[in-house]
Amino acid sequence: MIGRLRGSCEDERISLDTFAARVDLVYAAQNRDELVDLLADLPPDHALARVVLNTVTWLSWWVARLQAAWRQPRTPRLILPLEENVIIGRSRDCACVLDDPTISRRHAVLDHVDGAWWLRDLGSINGTYVNGFRIMDQLEVRAGDEVAFGAATYQLALAPTRLSHTRQVGAAESLCRALATKRQIPTTRA
């Protein structure tokens, strides 16, 4: 009896006050007819409907986790620069050239000041986003943050601690170097 009342309250068929009042009446009932009268206005409990609802809830949760897992390793990484000022955009004049039609010629600037990185949009049409939120002002970013320039999304990462002895990698080049295997970003200037 109380299980059906609880289910009706969860399904918002009865209010919490009505549920509490009816539970008191269930405990006060002296015969079966009084119990039947307490549930007479409630629709019959459909076990199949409850199973379907629980299955859909579980599937929705699982799909959301799957989408997050699917997206995470496929997001290309950008190495944070060691230079003070790196302009990001499609133009060959930028220190970091990203080849995506949704990126403006001069899209954003990444400043390295006192060990912290600050990202600022340069008035781009499609915007700059950090962790899903559009930035309107300069914002501090860290390794692990997800940044999007237009529709192109990247995960920021720290530079590897060991660099080749024969070649020093420039910060702008290392910023633009994609570490993801599926997608290559042009890093050369013509």
Side-chain angles (χ1 to χ4, degrees), residues 6-145:
R6 184 181 311 119
S8 293
C9 186
E10 289 172 359
D11 295 340
E12 298 180 358
R13 294 179 193 272
I14 61 172
S15 69
L16 187 59
D17 293 335
T18 303
F19 169 73
R22 288 193 185 186
V23 167
D24 290 340
L25 292 173
V26 166
Y27 286 119
Q30 296 187 3
N31 60 41
R32 184 161 180 76
D33 291 335
E34 289 178 7
L35 291 174
V36 170
D37 288 342
L38 289 174
L39 302 177
D41 63 333
L42 298 178
D45 189 24
H46 297 290
L48 180 61
R50 198 167 291 284
V51 167
V52 168
L53 181 63
N54 289 339
T55 302
V56 168
T57 301
W58 179 81
L59 282 173
S60 296
W61 171 82
W62 187 80
V63 166
R65 289 197 54 179
L66 181 64
Q67 286 175 338
W70 182 261
R71 209 178 67 166
Q72 188 64 23
R74 294 182 182 337
T75 304
R77 296 191 305 171
L78 291 180
I79 305 301
L80 289 164
L82 301 175
E83 290 179 1
E84 290 182 8
N85 184 310
V86 174
I87 296 177
I88 302 165
R90 266 192 355 240
S91 171
R92 293 181 182 200
D93 296 330
C94 294
C96 178
V97 179
L98 300 177
D99 187 23
D100 187 283
T102 62
I103 297 175
S104 298
R105 287 184 188 102
R106 292 175 45 90
H107 197 98
V109 64
L110 189 59
D111 294 317
H112 186 224
V113 180
D114 297 328
W117 291 276
W118 296 87
L119 184 63
R120 180 172 36 100
D121 187 81
L122 295 175
S124 65
I125 301 271
N126 293 320
T128 302
Y129 297 82
V130 175
N131 298 325
F133 296 98
R134 188 170 188 161
I135 62 171
M136 299 298 183
D137 201 6
Q138 191 167 355
L139 180 73
E140 184 177 2
V141 292
R142 296 183 173 98
D145 284 344

Side-chain angles (χ1 to χ4, degrees), residues 145-179:
D145 284 344
E146 188 175 274
V147 296
F149 308 104
T153 303
Y154 305 94
Q155 183 178 22
L156 296 178
L158 294 174
T161 54
R162 287 184 59 191
L163 294 177
S164 169
H165 294 290
T166 59
R167 187 181 136 193
Q168 198 69 335
V169 178
E173 183 180 348
S174 66
L175 170 70
C176 295
R177 184 180 49 200
L179 298 178

